[in-house]
């Protein structure tokens, strides 16, 4: 949540620097353009996901790991560099190369260590959140407006299909991972430590005494934004931003039946794909950047996403299989955004105008 | 990664690696080392590797302190004198604020 708020705050900064390039003559043309843009992005995502599934199926683990490594490298160094530049410009602060180099170097290297090797869990979570937020910011900044909304909607639908249909690539990935009893790559998932003893998936995890308060522990909540998504994104960054479905897939792949062998805090908690974070943040970020209703709309979207997430987790606890995390939240978020923007705000304005307090 | 589940030798190797890594201009790594292993080094009942972990944590803290002082002094000097340095100041600057200082 803090992440999303931080994203919002930073997005407010971006407002000054984001010219929306999507200016066309007629509404119809704009609509067509955005549909085309969205289609291109979705196609890229689908292709990347299929590539990832194939790589996974044929056990080309090294390739996948190298890919994830490079993408997280790019994200941690390059994007944070650009982000810092924007922040400093906004606050009109001077910064010298020496300090900047030290800061970016430290941030990046410790991030790589935490995500890909061993590090404290809290720090790893913080880093994953930060890179998701960065990715969302990049999306918000560089995607034209209608395209972004369309992409959000289409991705949710695609997510639903990819995970639940028997032929969906994500489903295949999940099942393959389950068969092989392997954990998904750590760089793609966010795992909380909240454990709920009751609902552990089929394996017998006897003594996990987690002092944590009960939280739905859905061992696998798939699809988040896996890093693959942004991995691919990074690759095509300059061309089109594509969120890689793959990361999402990977996340989705986190099956609930974790290998019963080790008891690890991380295996017990809820696992959410990083792609999910990215798209949630993107929704709220866009809401805050472009809404005419300012905080009202932003808060409404925020609440909508949280409600959607709770519902999804509930469903996860009931069904105990990999579920797409995006559709419900994004759907609620979009509905709330457009409704609030167009209905609630004029209402509030009128009320304030007539000094009528409800 | 949960420290509780690791055997003591592994904790020691991890602490050492973080300590050594910090020499690559990485005070942040030292900070993580100090915070993460603080409980292990000082607040737990003694175990065999604890003395070594203690030394690593202490040295990381020293290194961190050193870096913090260096950076703070440099940043103070830079921010204060940047405008007066003319060209050199601009050359060093990543972003240059608008307006008169």
């Amino acid at each position: 949540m803090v992440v999303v708020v931080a994203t919002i705050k930073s997005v407010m900064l971006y407002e000054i620097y984001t010219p929306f390039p999507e200016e066309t003559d007629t509404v119809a043309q704009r609509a067509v353009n955005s549909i085309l843009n969205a289609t291109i992005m979705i196609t890229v995502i689908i292709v990347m996901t299929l590539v990832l599934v194939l790589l996974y199926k044929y056990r080309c683990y090294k390739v996948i790991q190298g890919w994830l490594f490079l993408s997280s490298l790019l994200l941690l160094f390059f994007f944070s560099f650009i982000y810092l530049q924007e922040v400093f410009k906004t606050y009109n602060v001077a910064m010298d190369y020496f300090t900047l180099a030290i800061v970016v170097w430290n941030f990046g290297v410790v991030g790589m260590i935490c995500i890909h090797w061993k590090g404290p869990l809290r720090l790893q979570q913080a880093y994953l959140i930060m890179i998701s937020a960065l990715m969302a910011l990049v999306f918000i900044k560089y995607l034209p407006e209608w395209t972004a909304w369309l992409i959000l909607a289409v991705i949710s639908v695609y997510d639903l299909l990819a995970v639940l249909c028997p032929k969906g690539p994500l489903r295949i990935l999940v099942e393959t991972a389950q068969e092989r009893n392997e954990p998904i790559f750590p760089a793609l998932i966010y795992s909380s430590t909240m454990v709920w003893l009751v609902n552990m998936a089929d394996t017998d995890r006897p003594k996990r005494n987690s002092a944590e308060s009960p939280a739905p522990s859905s061992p696998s909540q798939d699809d988040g934004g896996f890093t693959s998504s942004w991995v691919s994104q990074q690759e095509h960054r300059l061309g089109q931003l594509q969120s890689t479905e793959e990361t999402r897939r990977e996340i989705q792949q986190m099956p609930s039946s974790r290998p019963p062998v080790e008891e690890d805090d991380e295996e017990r908690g809820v696992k959410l794909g990083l792609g999910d974070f990215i798209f949630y943040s993107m929704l709220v970020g866009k809401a805050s950047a472009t809404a005419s209703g300012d905080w009202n709309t932003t808060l409404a979207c925020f609440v909508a996403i949280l409600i959607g997430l709770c519902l999804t987790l509930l469903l996860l606890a009931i069904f105990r299989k990999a579920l797409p995390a995006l559709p419900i939240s994004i759907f609620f978020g979009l509905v709330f955004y457009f409704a609030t923007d167009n209905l609630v705000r004029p209402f509030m304005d009128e009320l304030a105008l007539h000094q009528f307090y409800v | 990664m949960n420290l509780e589940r690791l055997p003591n030798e592994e904790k020691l190797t991890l602490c050492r690696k973080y300590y050594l890594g910090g020499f690559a201009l990485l005070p942040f790594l030292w900070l993580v080392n100090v915070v993460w292993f603080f409980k292990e080094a000082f607040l737990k009942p003694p175990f065999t590797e604890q003395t070594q972990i203690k030394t690593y944590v202490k040295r990381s803290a020293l290194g961190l302190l050193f870096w913090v002082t260096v950076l703070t002094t440099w940043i103070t000097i830079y921010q204060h004198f940047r405008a007066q340095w003319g060209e050199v100041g601009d050359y060093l600057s990543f972003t240059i604020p608008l307006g008169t200082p």
Side-chain angles (χ1 to χ4, degrees):
Chain A
M1 307 199 228
V2 175
V3 171
V4 179
V5 174
T7 315
I8 296 173
K9 282 201 84 176
S10 13
V11 170
M12 295 271 196
L13 299 175
Y14 264 111
E15 278 192 280
I16 313 178
Y17 297 100
T18 314
F20 285 116
E22 199 191 48
E23 314 285 347
T24 55
D25 298 329
T26 62
V27 171
Q29 207 171 17
R30 190 173 186 190
V32 168
N33 278 351
S34 46
I35 292 180
L36 286 178
N37 281 344
T39 320
I40 295 176
M41 249 192 87
I42 299 295
T43 319
V44 175
I45 292 177
I46 296 180
V47 167
M48 303 302 270
T49 315
L50 287 175
V51 168
L52 186 73
V53 174
L54 285 176
L55 283 178
Y56 192 67
K57 237 177 140 73
Y58 293 114
R59 300 181 189 264
C60 310
Y61 294 143
K62 290 293 182 187
V63 178
I64 298 182
Q65 277 172 2
W67 186 10
L68 290 179
F69 190 75
L70 281 179
S71 65
S72 45
L73 200 75
L74 185 68
L75 199 65
L76 279 174
F77 286 100
F78 187 56
F79 285 2
S80 51
F81 177 73
I82 292 187
Y83 173 69
L84 280 179
Q85 188 174 24
E86 298 283 343
V87 168
F88 287 136
K89 275 193 211 158
T90 311
Y91 285 119
N92 220 20
V93 166
M95 176 56 63
D96 56 309
Y97 279 113
F98 177 64
T99 320
L100 181 77
I102 299 272
V103 168
V104 171
W105 171 244
N106 272 272
F107 181 72
V109 170
V110 178
M112 293 302 284
I113 290 179
C114 270
I115 299 177
H116 293 280
W117 192 53
K118 305 178 193 160
L121 183 66
R122 291 281 172 224
L123 197 62
Q124 186 185 21
Q125 291 175 331
Y127 263 107
L128 289 176
I129 292 177
M130 279 190 274
I131 56 182
S132 308
L134 268 179
M135 203 68 233
L137 283 174
V138 165
F139 269 151
I140 295 172
K141 182 167 188 202
Y142 286 105
L143 281 183
E145 190 164 346
W146 286 19
T147 313
W149 293 117
L150 216 59
I151 284 180
L152 276 179
V154 177
I155 275 212
S156 312
V157 171
Y158 171 65
D159 197 20
L160 201 61
L161 292 175
V163 174
L164 296 178
C165 293
K167 284 294 184 179
L170 288 178
R171 182 98 175 246
I172 297 179
L173 211 53
V174 176
E175 280 159 13
T176 322
Q178 274 173 332
E179 281 165 33
R180 299 182 194 169
N181 257 346
E182 286 166 354
I184 305 291
F185 304 102
L188 299 178
I189 319 167
Y190 172 91
S191 67
S192 71
T193 50
M194 305 287 257
V195 177
W196 206 13
L197 291 178
V198 181
N199 265 355
M200 267 333 194
D202 33 21
T203 60
D204 42 356
R205 297 193 205 183
K207 31 255 85 356
R208 239 309 186 183
N209 44 338
S210 53
E212 253 68 52
S213 43
S217 67
S218 7
S220 51
Q221 173 113 30
D222 50 281
D223 82 280
F226 338 58
T227 38
S228 6
S229 301
W230 48 253
V231 172
S232 17
Q233 281 168 346
Q234 282 139 23
E235 287 165 359
H236 303 272
R237 207 195 143 238
L238 298 178
Q240 338 215 304
L241 299 171
Q242 298 132 357
S243 46
T244 39
E245 278 293 316
E246 310 197 338
T247 26
R248 298 187 45 209
R249 298 210 196 202
E250 296 271 329
I251 311 271
Q252 284 172 338
Q253 307 288 329
M254 283 310 288
S256 19
S257 49
R258 298 283 339 320
V261 185
E262 356 260 54
E263 306 210 336
D264 217 348
D265 263 339
E266 297 172 18
E267 292 185 12
R268 292 242 190 142
V270 179
K271 291 194 196 288
L272 189 62
L274 283 187
D276 289 333
F277 277 125
I278 297 180
F279 287 109
Y280 293 159
S281 309
M282 197 175 129
L283 182 80
V284 187
K286 273 210 101 53
S288 80
T290 61
S292 39
D294 279 342
W295 283 106
N296 272 336
T297 323
T298 311
L299 275 178
C301 286
F302 199 72
V303 170
I305 289 187
L306 287 180
I307 294 179
L309 191 61
C310 291
L311 278 178
T312 314
L313 289 176
L314 201 66
L315 281 181
L316 199 61
I318 297 177
F319 285 116
R320 303 227 198 141
K321 357 185 281 182
L323 284 184
L326 281 186
I328 302 180
S329 287
I330 301 275
F331 177 65
F332 276 166
L334 288 177
V335 164
F336 269 63
Y337 170 74
F338 287 112
T340 317
D341 205 25
N342 298 318
L343 297 177
V344 176
R345 206 196 35 93
F347 179 59
M348 300 294 280
D349 285 344
E350 283 296 315
L351 285 186
L353 199 61
H354 294 281
Q355 294 287 300
F356 182 68
Y357 294 102
V358 273
Chain B
M1 167 107 290
N2 194 358
L3 273 188
E4 309 290 329
R5 323 197 137 260
L6 287 182
N8 289 334
E9 302 82 36
E10 291 190 24
K11 284 185 205 165
L12 182 63
T13 28
L14 204 57
C15 194
R16 180 190 297 130
K17 286 195 180 147
Y18 267 66
Y19 169 66
L20 293 175
F23 280 110
L25 301 186
L26 290 170
F28 191 31
L29 205 57
W30 276 334
L31 178 67
V32 173
N33 203 12
V34 167
V35 171
W36 200 17
F37 282 98
F38 187 76
K39 218 170 67 158
E40 294 288 328
F42 297 107
L43 300 179
K44 280 231 171 119
F47 51 94
T48 29
E49 287 84 356
Q50 199 186 34
T51 39
Q52 284 179 294
I53 292 187
K54 255 192 210 170
T55 37
Y56 286 135
V57 171
K58 282 186 197 160
R59 288 191 203 158
S60 304
L62 273 179
L64 183 65
L65 205 61
F66 168 73
W67 268 102
V68 167
T69 34
V70 163
L71 275 179
T72 326
T73 6
W74 164 247
I75 290 177
T76 335
I77 296 177
Y78 173 72
Q79 294 291 342
H80 202 55
F81 291 114
R82 187 188 52 83
Q84 301 165 17
W85 278 345
E87 274 186 22
V88 175
D90 281 350
Y91 179 66
L92 282 175
S93 300
F94 174 53
T95 48
I96 304 179
L98 307 169
T100 47

